[in-house]
Amino acid sequence: GESVGLHLPTLSVQEGDNSIINCAYSNSASDYFIWYKQESGKGPQFIIDIRSNMDKRQGQRVTVLLNKTVKHLSLQIAATQPGDSAVYFCAEKSDGGTSYGKLTFGQGTILTVHP
Amino acid sequence: NAGVMQNPRHLVRRRGQEARLRCSPMKGHSHVYWYRQLPEEGLKFMVYLQKENIIDESGMPKERFSAEFPKEGPSILRIQQVVRGDSAAYFCASSPRWGENEKLFFGSGTQLSVL
């Protein structure tokens, strides 16, 4: 079936560096993508989203890039801080002709930020 | 403004017992979703409910699992005759409306352990 997956399961960076987390998706019909951050023992926390009619969207210290040609999504975190250490998931909106929050999550990338 | 509340945080059951997981959505939210997360995996959609209605249960196992969202009170995910394979983190999410770019707000989850 259709799926969303990540290239790298772990990423270690130094505090202050920029981080890039990648995600590949296989459903070419997907039109909405979200990045979530999950800290240990907590539920996923919304970071940023992007619709398929956009290539780039920026938030506070985060940027999401979407390349529909190769079905690739990335999350860039500027000036990474220890508090950014968490598991990051990309998720795809599975509309199937409807429009509600039925998401397909990727496997996740563990980001570790060293002081 | 309280977020999505789930209880219990941890639930231990022996094989064959019943597990009841509760979710109170954010104030003003009438849409509830249940997701399951196995260790080191992304979240998997289970069911989407509105008040007194199951809208999409395509991710629910055919047997032993049921969900409800009554007119009054929390949403309940019920697992009958639990088996060890049911051990997972169960997350509830809510959203305010049926729309295209829904942002789901997740609770902290219930960790179910089946002995």
Side-chain angles (χ1 to χ4, degrees), chain B residues 10-24:
Chain B
H10 302 276
L11 182 61
V12 180
R13 285 288 178 266
R14 296 190 181 277
R15 282 178 296 171
Q17 292 184 319
E18 178 180 288
R20 291 172 68 88
L21 288 62
R22 296 175 183 78
C23 169
S24 295

Side-chain angles (χ1 to χ4, degrees), chain B residues 70-107:
Chain B
K71 185 177 180 179
E72 301 291 336
S75 175
I76 305 290
L77 179 67
R78 182 183 178 199
I79 311 172
Q80 295 177 292
Q81 299 176 329
V82 296
V83 300
R84 287 196 175 141
D86 297 332
S87 296
Y90 292 83
F91 290 95
C92 172
S94 72
S95 67
R97 67 191 184 281
W98 176 297
E100 285 196 347
N101 289 350
E102 289 191 359
K103 291 183 176 66
L104 297 186
F105 297 85
F106 283 88

Side-chain angles (χ1 to χ4, degrees), chain A residues 32 51 93 95 98-101, chain B residues 31 33 48 95-103:
Chain A
Y32 180 55
R51 291 199 62 83
K93 188 82 172 285
D95 277 357
T98 60
S99 182
Y100 50 84
Chain B
H31 300 250
Y33 305 79
Y48 163 47
S95 67
R97 67 191 184 281
W98 176 297
E100 285 196 347
N101 289 350
E102 289 191 359
K103 291 183 176 66

Side-chain angles (χ1 to χ4, degrees), chain A residues 34-38 42-47 89 91 101-105, chain B residues 2-6 23-26 29 32-37 42-46 89-95 102-109:
Chain A
I34 314 102
W35 281 100
Y36 281 94
K37 172 187 180 182
Q38 186 177 26
K42 297 184 179 180
Q45 177 186 359
F46 174 90
I47 301 174
F89 294 96
K102 182 178 180 181
L103 303 177
T104 299
F105 280 79
Chain B
V4 177
M5 303 300 291
Q6 289 188 250
C23 169
S24 295
M26 286 182 68
H29 288 192
V32 166
Y33 305 79
W34 286 93
Y35 282 79
R36 177 166 62 177
Q37 185 176 34
L43 282 73
K44 297 285 195 297
F45 170 82
M46 298 182 75
Y90 292 83
F91 290 95
C92 172
S94 72
S95 67
E102 289 191 359
K103 291 183 176 66
L104 297 186
F105 297 85
F106 283 88
S108 294

